[in-house]
Amino acid sequence: MKRISGYGDKRAFGTLFEFFGPRLKSYLLRMGADDAQAEEIVQDVMLTVWRKASQFDPAQASVSTWIFRIARNRQIDLFRRASKPDLSPEEPMLQPAPEQAPFESLSQAQLQAEVREKLDILPPEQLELLRAAFYDGMSHAEIAERFSLPLGTVKSRIRLAFDKLRGVLSRE
């Protein structure tokens, strides 16, 4: 490694490659790579060894430990890349939401105004919890902590408020 890092000695690199190449391939095959992947990773690892030989620190690890760690990391990267699905630009989840027709946005605005009006029929303890959840964006646990209430009470009051609003809105 000293000759490779210090002098760019190609003969020393050839010796290193001849020694570690077959061992790396065998290791990668045992780790689950197929033959072509193992060959590709060995080539990549040995190219990295050539390029980054100056970064090798014998106080940190032995040459074999350093090289095998590079190989292990390359294989993990390859498997991670292979396990990620390719996203199609046609994927429905990646498409922008369709624009609402004017009558839809008008009816939605009317519904929102109607719900705001009906909030007045709720008891204050239910109304303040609903406001904390929907206007302040707090979770049920955060609401319970803020108002010093048991979590079950928070959930019950919010559910009761929904039931009451649903009943009033469905009648109209």
Side-chain angles (χ1 to χ4, degrees):
M1 280 303 292
K2 287 180 185 177
R3 290 185 9 218
I4 296 169
S5 67
Y7 309 106
D9 188 336
K10 292 179 183 175
R11 186 175 307 207
F13 179 72
T15 304
L16 193 75
F17 195 106
E18 285 177 21
F19 182 79
F20 281 106
R23 287 165 178 78
L24 284 173
K25 183 176 178 183
S26 174
Y27 169 74
L28 293 165
L29 290 171
R30 284 192 314 268
M31 294 286 292
D34 64 31
D35 195 58
Q37 288 173 329
E39 286 284 338
E40 184 179 330
I41 294 171
V42 167
Q43 293 294 322
D44 186 48
V45 167
M46 294 311 292
L47 184 61
T48 300
V49 168
W50 174 256
R51 288 181 180 158
K52 298 190 177 193
S54 62
Q55 293 178 5
F56 170 70
D57 182 3
Q60 297 282 328
S62 67
V63 173
S64 62
T65 301
W66 186 64
I67 292 174
F68 277 89
R69 182 173 295 141
I70 294 169
R72 181 180 145 269
N73 291 342
R74 285 297 191 295
Q75 185 181 29
I76 289 170
D77 290 345
L78 184 70
F79 282 143
R80 282 182 182 155
R81 252 184 266 126
S83 67
K84 289 184 181 175
D86 291 334
L87 295 177
S88 166
E90 305 304 316
E91 174 66 36
M93 294 300 293
L94 298 178
Q95 300 302 316
E99 289 186 34
Q100 287 185 330
F103 67 88
E104 287 176 3
S105 58
L106 178 62
S107 66
Q108 191 174 29
Q110 288 171 338
L111 178 62
Q112 289 173 357
E114 193 175 336
V115 168
R116 280 193 200 97
E117 275 180 37
K118 302 305 179 196
L119 286 175
D120 293 339
I121 68 162
L122 296 176
E125 64 271 3
Q126 291 176 3
L127 183 57
E128 69 182 351
L129 297 183
L130 269 184
R131 283 191 175 136
F134 292 97
Y135 293 127
D136 298 339
M138 297 174 70
S139 70
H140 289 171
E142 292 169 332
I143 294 169
E145 187 176 318
R146 178 194 266 181
F147 292 99
S148 301
L149 294 169
L151 183 60
T153 302
V154 170
K155 290 180 179 185
S156 296
R157 287 184 183 171
I158 290 175
R159 186 175 29 79
L160 288 170
F162 275 135
D163 290 345
K164 194 172 284 188
L165 286 173
R166 192 175 298 118
V168 170
L169 292 171
S170 66
R171 282 183 264 166
E172 294 178 0

